[in-house]
Amino acid sequence: MKNILIIHTGGTISMEENTSTGEVNTTSEHPLSEATKHLKHIANITDEAAFHVPSPHMQPRHMLQLGQLIHERFTEKKFDGIVVTHGTDTLEETAYFLDLFLQTRKPVIVTGAMRSANEIGADGLYNLITAVRVASSDEAHEKGTLVVMNDEIHTAKSVTKTSTSNVATFQSPQYGPIGITTKQEVFFHHKITYREAYPVQQLSKNVVLLKVYAGMDGSIIDSLLDSRVDGLVIEALGQGNVPPSMIGSLTAAVEAGVPVLVVSRCYQGFVQPTYAYEGGGKHLEDIGLIFANGLNGPKARIKLMLALEMTNNRAEIISMFQ
């Protein structure tokens, strides 16, 4: 059997519901601490806690700490794969960070739960078992960091949380899962064609994500420039368009040397410099904004943070997002 390490970080999968009030909170002991008895027929299990935080408390420094721990464990011991349990609110951001940071051919699987351990229909233990099965699969090698939830296998780049409470919340809009699990088998039906790595040693850059809305002006951007922001990600309208009242501030950001990425607030499709009117995508390209395809806003922010630790060269940054 394979040797699998489970690293716990916190989140709903590590919480229990107060049966009197219905509130969900952390517990003194991980409710899945005895789950290894359900896994002993799948793999040789070792588990440890990296930290214990609700997923809204997750910060980039936690992600870096987790990535460094995974790297150390793969280096020190003969683990065949690693499973990370994580809260779902920021799970996709941590998974994508790990996908960019780690340089390993071995499987790294991130999973979580939408229902706490003692709720009716709790999904945490089942997701953990499924994640261990995927981490034990030879086919999971060389696919980067994967997210396994609800019998589906998703890439860290494409997956996103689509519902606040549904157990089928994690989806990959436009692309779908790259594999599925059954009670007996793990099936992959897509291949990973390209991977990239950013082996940073620190995360020191302040990158801000802004969602564009009708009538938005540039006042927020002006304030951010005054605070010396290192990078901006704009979740623009449609194919990559903004109100004309934002143009002056966006131009000032580019002239100040701040890289500004454009993604769409739509969850499907691509941004591209199509419209030539004021504030249209072609106009944004002309003033120096960088179009980042295939990423949502939170993931574009993660990638820009990593990119800025590697280089300040504009041409190199553009090439990272093409």
Side-chain angles (χ1 to χ4, degrees):
M1 289 194 295
K2 300 292 180 67
N3 298 311
I4 303 298
L5 172 64
I6 301 174
I7 299 177
H8 301 289
T9 68
T12 299
I13 195 170
S14 67
M15 298 181 184
E16 289 186 345
E17 181 184 61
N18 184 312
T19 55
S20 298
T21 65
E23 297 172 348
V24 175
N25 210 333
T26 56
T27 61
S28 57
E29 183 178 351
H30 199 295
L32 297 182
S33 59
E34 297 185 5
T36 52
K37 65 184 179 182
H38 300 281
L39 301 168
K40 63 183 179 181
H41 67 289
I42 303 173
N44 299 314
I45 300 298
T46 303
D47 70 328
E48 68 174 284
F51 32 77
H52 193 64
V53 297
S55 119
H57 296 189
M58 186 67 65
Q59 298 182 29
R61 63 178 176 85
H62 292 115
M63 300 176 192
L64 180 60
Q65 179 184 339
L66 177 60
Q68 291 170 335
L69 176 62
I70 291 172
H71 176 73
E72 290 171 5
R73 293 297 179 264
F74 272 139
T75 301
E76 294 169 359
K77 299 182 180 180
K78 295 182 179 179
F79 290 115
D80 299 296
I82 289 178
V83 172
V84 176
T85 66
H86 196 287
T88 58
D89 284 354
T90 56
L91 184 149
E92 65 191 86
E93 290 166 81
T94 296
Y96 187 55
F97 173 87
L98 294 176
D99 192 56
L100 294 175
F101 174 78
L102 294 172
Q103 300 174 71
T104 179
R105 300 172 64 185
K106 295 181 179 180
V108 176
I109 313 299
V110 184
T111 192
M114 293 300 292
R115 296 172 183 160
S116 56
N118 62 336
E119 287 185 63
I120 295 174
D123 55 332
L125 178 56
Y126 183 83
N127 285 337
L128 178 61
I129 292 170
T130 306
V132 170
R133 290 177 58 216
V134 175
S136 302
S137 169
D138 290 333
E139 288 190 70
H141 284 243
E142 299 190 65
K143 290 183 171 61
T145 300
L146 301 173
V147 173
V148 173
M149 297 276 289
N150 202 40
D151 282 332
E152 294 184 337
I153 307 168
H154 296 266
T155 65
K157 181 178 180 180
S158 299
V159 75
T160 191
K161 186 175 182 178
T162 64
S163 168
T164 59
S165 58
N166 195 310
V167 294
T169 180
F170 282 93
Q171 305 289 328
S172 294
Q174 193 162 270
Y175 302 103
I178 66 165
I180 60 172
T181 64
T182 67
K183 289 184 179 297
Q184 288 80 33
E185 301 290 340
V186 174
F187 295 99
F188 285 93
H189 48 72
H190 289 170
K191 291 185 177 180
I192 306 298
T193 58
Y194 174 74
R195 289 194 61 203
E196 53 193 327
Y198 298 83
V200 301
Q201 300 302 313
Q202 62 178 2
L203 290 173
S204 61
K205 305 301 181 182
N206 180 24
V207 177
V208 175
L209 169 63
L210 296 178
K211 191 183 192 81
V212 175
Y213 54 84
M216 185 174 181
D217 62 22
S219 56
I220 297 176
I221 298 171
D222 295 338
S223 297
L224 291 171
L225 293 178
D226 289 340
S227 67
R228 298 187 179 181
V229 67
D230 297 301
L232 284 175
V233 178
I234 305 296
E235 270 195 8
L237 308 171
Q239 294 185 61
N241 313 303
V242 302
S245 49
M246 295 180 65
I247 293 299
S249 299
L250 290 171
T251 301
V254 174
E255 291 176 347
V258 176
V260 183
L261 299 187
V262 179
V263 299
S264 178
R265 70 179 198 180
C266 303
Y267 66 87
Q268 291 195 62
F270 295 91
V271 288
Q272 49 194 347
T274 299
Y275 293 99
Y277 53 71
E278 187 179 9
K282 182 62 173 65
H283 188 192
L284 299 184
E285 183 184 56
D286 290 342
I287 64 175
L289 272 64
I290 302 167
F291 284 71
N293 264 322
L295 295 174
N296 62 19
K299 291 179 185 175
R301 174 180 173 267
I302 292 290
K303 186 173 180 180
L304 184 55
M305 290 173 63
L306 289 164
L308 287 171
E309 295 293 346
M310 305 287 288
T311 181
N312 289 315
N313 183 278
R314 177 178 171 79
E316 292 178 353
I317 292 174
I318 291 174
S319 69
M320 293 176 181
F321 287 92
Q322 289 181 338

